[in-house]
Amino acid sequence: MANKFLQYFALTIAVIGAVNWGLIGFFNFNLVAFLFGSMSWLSRIVYGLVGLCGLYLLTFYTLVDQEQISE
Protein backbone atom coordinates (compact mmCIF):
# COMPACT_ATOMS: atom_id res chain seq x y z
CA MET A 1 0.00 0.00 0.00
CA ALA A 2 2.73 2.46 0.97
CA ASN A 3 4.72 1.62 -2.16
CA LYS A 4 1.74 2.38 -4.41
CA PHE A 5 1.21 5.71 -2.62
CA LEU A 6 4.86 6.60 -3.15
CA GLN A 7 4.59 5.74 -6.84
CA TYR A 8 1.49 7.89 -7.35
CA PHE A 9 3.01 10.72 -5.30
CA ALA A 10 6.22 10.65 -7.31
CA LEU A 11 4.33 10.59 -10.61
CA THR A 12 2.10 13.48 -9.54
CA ILE A 13 5.03 15.64 -8.43
CA ALA A 14 6.95 14.81 -11.63
CA VAL A 15 3.94 15.81 -13.74
CA ILE A 16 3.68 19.09 -11.83
CA GLY A 17 7.38 19.69 -12.52
CA ALA A 18 6.93 18.84 -16.19
CA VAL A 19 3.99 21.24 -16.52
CA ASN A 20 6.02 23.95 -14.81
CA TRP A 21 8.93 23.40 -17.24
CA GLY A 22 6.50 23.50 -20.14
CA LEU A 23 5.11 26.81 -18.93
CA ILE A 24 8.63 28.17 -18.59
CA GLY A 25 9.61 26.98 -22.06
CA PHE A 26 6.51 28.12 -23.93
CA PHE A 27 5.41 31.22 -22.02
CA ASN A 28 8.39 32.17 -19.80
CA PHE A 29 6.08 31.75 -16.80
CA ASN A 30 7.30 29.96 -13.68
CA LEU A 31 4.22 28.70 -11.84
CA VAL A 32 6.15 27.62 -8.74
CA ALA A 33 7.80 31.03 -8.38
CA PHE A 34 4.44 32.71 -9.00
CA LEU A 35 2.71 30.69 -6.28
CA PHE A 36 5.45 30.48 -3.66
CA GLY A 37 7.89 33.29 -4.47
CA SER A 38 11.17 33.29 -6.32
CA MET A 39 13.48 30.83 -4.52
CA SER A 40 11.65 31.10 -1.21
CA TRP A 41 12.05 28.18 1.18
CA LEU A 42 8.70 26.81 0.01
CA SER A 43 9.64 26.94 -3.67
CA ARG A 44 12.97 25.28 -2.85
CA ILE A 45 11.06 22.45 -1.20
CA VAL A 46 8.89 22.04 -4.31
CA TYR A 47 11.95 22.03 -6.59
CA GLY A 48 13.69 19.56 -4.28
CA LEU A 49 10.66 17.24 -4.28
CA VAL A 50 10.49 17.36 -8.08
CA GLY A 51 14.15 16.40 -8.27
CA LEU A 52 13.85 13.58 -5.75
CA CYS A 53 10.74 12.22 -7.44
CA GLY A 54 12.52 12.31 -10.79
CA LEU A 55 15.37 10.28 -9.33
CA TYR A 56 12.92 7.82 -7.81
CA LEU A 57 11.13 7.44 -11.14
CA LEU A 58 14.37 6.23 -12.69
CA THR A 59 13.67 2.96 -10.91
CA PHE A 60 10.56 2.53 -13.09
CA TYR A 61 12.84 1.51 -15.95
CA THR A 62 13.44 -1.76 -14.14
CA LEU A 63 9.67 -2.32 -14.06
CA VAL A 64 9.50 -1.88 -17.83
CA ASP A 65 12.29 -4.41 -18.26
CA GLN A 66 10.49 -6.90 -16.00
CA GLU A 67 7.25 -6.57 -17.99
CA GLN A 68 9.06 -7.22 -21.27
CA ILE A 69 10.71 -10.34 -19.87
CA SER A 70 7.39 -11.80 -18.67
CA GLU A 71 5.72 -11.41 -22.11
Side-chain angles (χ1 to χ4, degrees):
M1 178 74 176
N3 192 26
K4 190 166 282 287
F5 172 78
L6 181 61
Q7 290 174 346
Y8 280 115
F9 179 78
L11 283 171
T12 302
I13 297 297
V15 167
I16 290 169
V19 168
N20 190 54
W21 275 109
L23 288 171
I24 291 170
F26 289 120
F27 304 111
N28 197 24
F29 179 72
N30 188 339
L31 183 62
V32 174
F34 177 77
L35 292 176
F36 302 115
S38 180
M39 294 313 287
S40 67
W41 64 272
L42 203 51
S43 65
R44 286 178 175 263
I45 290 172
V46 171
Y47 292 133
L49 280 174
V50 169
L52 289 174
C53 289
L55 290 174
Y56 173 71
L57 291 176
L58 288 174
T59 64
F60 281 29
Y61 284 114
T62 61
L63 296 176
V64 172
D65 287 340
Q66 289 175 358
E67 288 178 10
Q68 288 177 353
I69 291 171
S70 65
E71 289 181 352

